Amino acid sequence: QVQLVESGGGLVQAGGSLRLSCAASGSFFGVVTMGWYRQAPGKQRELVARIFSGGATNYADSAKGRFIISRDNAKNVVYLQMNSLKPEDTAVYYCNVLIRMTNYWGQGTQVTVSS
């Protein structure tokens, strides 16, 4: 029903920026949230940021003030602008869409931040 493809990951030095993109296709009737999660080796997958219908947003404490989530409804794209990156941001980042009561996930994109 829904397919998500992430892009924009890569290697960046601490203090740098990246913009992740998630291109979505399929039916979006009943969307609750769109967001980004990340998972580092040996850690659980955690919420980074999400945006609700109507535009309200949530951010992890570690992301507040540095990351911005946005969307382009016409293009079915959700973005994560990542600024002032830190080594602890290193992880695989996954796009997520919650539609009604079903979660959809992308394949993930690697973000590596060097010291």
Side-chain angles (χ1 to χ4, degrees):
Q1 182 181 353
V2 175
Q3 292 178 289
L4 307 173
V5 180
E6 302 98 332
S7 62
L11 176 64
V12 65
Q13 290 186 318
S17 298
L18 287 172
R19 187 178 72 166
L20 306 183
S21 299
C22 175
S25 62
S27 176
F28 282 81
F29 179 78
V31 167
V32 180
T33 63
M34 301 182 71
W36 291 91
Y37 290 70
R38 67 187 180 190
Q39 187 166 24
K43 295 186 177 181
Q44 294 181 315
R45 187 173 298 187
E46 64 177 354
L47 173 70
V48 178
R50 60 183 171 182
I51 185 165
F52 293 81
S53 176
T57 57
N58 283 164
Y59 293 91
D61 287 341
S62 61
K64 290 180 180 177
R66 299 189 298 126
F67 295 0
I68 301 172
I69 187 169
S70 62
R71 65 189 177 196
D72 185 333
N73 290 329
K75 296 180 179 180
N76 287 335
V77 178
V78 60
Y79 303 97
L80 184 67
Q81 179 66 47
M82 309 168 67
N83 301 314
S84 301
L85 284 162
K86 304 174 181 179
E88 49 263 46
D89 295 317
T90 296
V92 177
Y93 284 70
Y94 297 91
C95 182
N96 167 265
V97 179
L98 175 61
I99 301 178
R100 296 184 180 177
M101 292 183 284
T102 303
N103 278 295
Y104 298 88
W105 298 93
Q107 294 292 317
T109 185
Q110 177 71 47
V111 172
T112 302
V113 184
S114 62
S115 300

